[in-house]
Amino acid sequence: MQTRLYNKFVRFVTCKMPNITSLHCLIIDDNPTGSYIGNQLTDFYAYRLKHLKSLIPLTLTAPQLSNELTFLQMSISSKAGHQIPLVYRDSLKHLSLCNVPRNYQWKSFVSDSVQENIEFANLKHLEIYYKLDSQRYGSGEQSSGPSTLSFPKLKRLYLFRCYEHCQLLESAMLPEKLENVYLHCAPFLLVHLLSHRWKFIDNLEVNIEAGAIDNPRYFFRHTNMLFGNKYLAQNSSLTLGELPNIPHMNALNWSRMTSLTIIYQLEVRQLLVLLEKMPSLTKLSVLSLDVGSLPASIANEKHVKKYKCAENNTLTFAKLNAVNVKPCGPNYLAFIRYFVLKYASLEHLCVSPSALFYTRALVEAYSQVCPHLATTGVFASSELY
């Protein structure tokens, strides 16, 4: 009874709108009704579609999708033996794959089952969300996909949950210049960013979760190359779940990093070391700042004149959200005072909500001595991201 009702709905849609070329099936995978209708509609329009976005694995009778398809977002089924129609690679310009297993074979993109070299001749945007497995951050064995993946015209590459060996980073043929690279990964994969013959990337973003860094020396060696020694990107961003212990001052060189976000607890002393080694930083976000102990030069208000109104700063945005502090705790307020006077280029400052009124009053009071503060906007940390 329900199946007949679903088929009636599909016939109504396809009769009223027979020439649809763009279809969005924004339905969760465990919704059987939505999955059935979504697949029926996709099946009907398969030969016409130029734009297909599906959050459900495709189970179609159509042997192939349109040879004019330019945009494809789909989820890979976790069921063994599940196949999707053939996808014409040459027409694709945007490809987004979700729930991708580590050893994905790319069979839906080849007409010959023995074809080893796969080229996406016109693809400009590639987005991969790898499947969440129980084993994470392992080195594992190298994946066994096709011998070569080639993306000669790619401009934007986004890889999410890349915790083990990644063929797209390790062996894929990519252009020398890219607009955007986003990598949410395990630290050992950073070396593959360095091994590519990239001449330049406009925007590079690296995201490493808390608990993933088991070898701090290895981590700093490769991040120093990415964000310091090797001028790889015009804008380079690093998001860390937590900062590992810095072995010594000379072990850190992030001189070309432009944006840094640290999610879990960071001590003020660690932050001061970081800021000294990041002269190009324009955006800083510390979501859990530990102000339990401060250097005497910061805690003592008599030293204000020694650190006020620094010159030639690049930092324009800072979010400094304190953790485990009482409303307007003295250490946090002292650090905020230091910070607004230290960084003359600051345009936006986000602070813990309990310190908002104090910080605004402080900025107003010091604006006569430090003119740059007259244009500094102060917000609660929940207001700007």
Side-chain angles (χ1 to χ4, degrees):
M1 179 67 180
Q2 283 187 330
T3 302
R4 281 197 307 175
L5 184 62
Y6 300 158
N7 287 333
K8 186 176 181 179
F9 173 77
V10 170
R11 286 196 299 271
F12 173 80
V13 173
T14 54
C15 287
K16 293 294 184 179
M17 296 177 286
N19 298 314
I20 284 178
T21 59
S22 180
L23 183 63
H24 292 197
C25 298
L26 304 181
I27 305 162
I28 58 176
D29 190 17
D30 60 356
N31 184 327
T33 302
S35 296
Y36 181 86
I37 294 175
N39 274 290
Q40 291 293 310
L41 290 173
T42 306
D43 225 355
F44 180 85
Y45 295 116
Y47 294 103
R48 301 177 178 85
L49 291 176
K50 297 180 180 180
H51 189 290
L52 173 59
K53 180 182 291 187
S54 176
L55 299 185
I56 57 174
L58 298 173
T59 304
L60 310 179
T61 59
Q64 63 192 38
L65 295 174
S66 167
N67 59 6
E68 296 183 359
L69 188 69
T70 60
F71 183 107
L72 175 60
Q73 176 183 330
M74 66 178 183
S75 178
I76 306 300
S77 175
S78 57
K79 296 179 181 179
H82 179 270
Q83 295 293 328
I84 66 172
L86 176 68
V87 178
Y88 286 96
R89 304 190 307 274
D90 288 350
S91 63
L92 280 179
K93 294 183 179 180
H94 181 118
L95 176 61
S96 177
L97 300 177
C98 305
N99 200 37
V100 178
R102 180 171 60 90
N103 58 348
Y104 185 57
Q105 299 292 316
W106 299 83
K107 290 181 180 179
S108 298
F109 300 92
V110 291
S111 55
D112 185 351
S113 60
V114 298
Q115 185 173 352
E116 294 187 346
N117 301 323
I118 302 177
E119 180 180 87
F120 292 78
N122 295 299
L123 195 69
K124 296 183 179 181
H125 182 111
L126 178 60
E127 198 169 314
I128 304 291
Y129 295 82
Y130 286 99
K131 183 180 179 181
L132 276 174
D133 295 319
S134 57
Q135 182 181 0
R136 297 170 67 176
Y137 311 124
S139 56
E141 295 182 358
Q142 196 160 350
S143 57
S144 55
S147 296
T148 304
L149 289 169
S150 178
F151 306 90
K153 294 185 179 180
L154 195 68
K155 293 183 180 295
R156 297 172 293 277
L157 174 64
Y158 301 88
L159 302 177
F160 297 84
R161 300 195 293 259
C162 194
Y163 299 135
E164 298 193 16
H165 278 294
C166 176
Q167 185 183 14
L168 286 167
L169 276 181
E170 295 177 20
S171 60
M173 298 179 65
L174 301 169
E176 292 182 342
K177 295 183 180 181
L178 292 172
E179 291 179 1
N180 296 301
V181 173
Y182 177 91
L183 182 60
H184 176 199
C185 70
F188 76 89
L189 290 171
L190 294 178
V191 66
H192 299 295
L193 280 174
L194 296 166
S195 63
H196 275 285
R197 296 179 179 178
W198 285 326
K199 290 183 177 179
F200 201 67
I201 300 171
D202 287 343
N203 301 288
L204 170 65
E205 296 184 55
V206 176
N207 188 325
I208 298 177
E209 294 181 1
I213 302 171
D214 56 3
N215 189 332
R217 290 186 179 274
Y218 181 97
F219 167 76
F220 285 116
R221 181 165 68 247
H222 289 100
T223 53
N224 285 348
M225 289 293 294
L226 280 175
F227 302 115
N229 301 332
K230 187 175 183 179
Y231 187 38
L232 186 62
Q234 179 176 353
N235 299 300
S236 54
S237 172
L238 176 64
T239 297
L240 291 176
E242 59 188 358
L243 180 74
N245 290 328
I246 304 171
H248 51 83
M249 286 287 290
N250 293 332
L252 184 65
N253 177 17
W254 292 349
S255 58
R256 299 186 186 276
M257 187 183 298
T258 56
S259 177
L260 174 66
T261 299
I262 298 180
I263 298 173
Y264 293 110
Q265 195 161 324
L266 180 72
E267 295 180 1
V268 166
R269 294 178 186 274
Q270 292 176 301
L271 178 57
L272 295 176
V273 172
L274 288 175
L275 291 172
E276 186 176 333
K277 295 292 184 176
M278 296 187 294
S280 302
L281 196 68
T282 61
K283 182 178 180 180
L284 171 69
S285 294
V286 180
L287 306 188
S288 185
L289 183 65
D290 184 354
V291 292
S293 62
L294 296 179
S297 59
I298 294 178
N300 191 340
E301 190 173 1
K302 294 180 180 179
H303 296 280
V304 166
K305 292 183 180 180
K306 293 184 179 180
Y307 53 71
K308 72 177 182 181
C309 302
E311 298 178 356
N312 301 323
N313 296 135
T314 58
L315 190 66
T316 59
F317 178 98
K319 175 184 283 191
L320 302 169
N321 193 49
V323 60
N324 297 329
V325 295
K326 297 178 181 179
C328 292
N331 279 7
Y332 181 66
L333 299 181
F335 181 73
I336 292 299
R337 181 184 63 223
Y338 159 83
F339 202 88
V340 298
L341 296 173
K342 173 77 172 178
Y343 294 96
S345 55
L346 203 59
E347 296 176 2
H348 298 91
L349 175 64
C350 299
V351 297
S352 295
S354 61
L356 180 61
F357 293 112
Y358 168 87
T359 307
R360 285 178 172 170
L362 181 142
V363 166
E364 183 178 355
Y366 278 107
S367 60
Q368 295 180 357
V369 181
C370 300
H372 73 275
L373 292 177
T375 58
T376 300
V378 180
F379 307 89
S381 56
S382 57
E383 293 179 338
L384 290 182
Y385 296 90

